[in-house]
Amino acid sequence: MAGIYSGFYSAVYKVEPGYRAFKFSKLSGVREGIVREGWHFKIPMIERAIQYDIRARPRVMKCNTGTADLQMVHVALRLMYKPDEK
């Protein structure tokens, strides 16, 4: 019974919400196509799922600058970015 469970466990993987995955095969390299959230099958010891985060992430850029009347101004820009999901 333990062998069946470990065999099934090594043949499935889960992609969490907010992530995408692609398969890497030792025989043919990176497989075409992106895998979405949920449970998926793979060939044990030959295929490997590589997951990456697609959620939007913030980046804050700060800058100090001077004005024409010699006042210092603090400027902060917040940029939200995320990778392409294709």
Side-chain angles (χ1 to χ4, degrees), residues 29-73:
V30 176
R31 294 268 176 114
E32 216 170 294
I34 302 297
V35 180
R36 299 182 67 86
E37 299 101 3
W39 291 93
H40 303 282
F41 290 102
K42 65 178 179 156
I43 302 170
M45 299 177 62
I46 295 177
E47 289 183 335
R48 178 171 61 125
I50 300 172
Q51 297 187 21
Y52 59 96
D53 188 9
I54 61 160
R55 295 177 289 187
R57 290 178 230 132
R59 178 176 169 115
V60 178
M61 294 177 266
K62 297 179 181 179
C63 179
N64 294 328
T65 186
T67 63
D69 60 347
L70 303 176
Q71 298 293 318
M72 290 301 293
V73 178

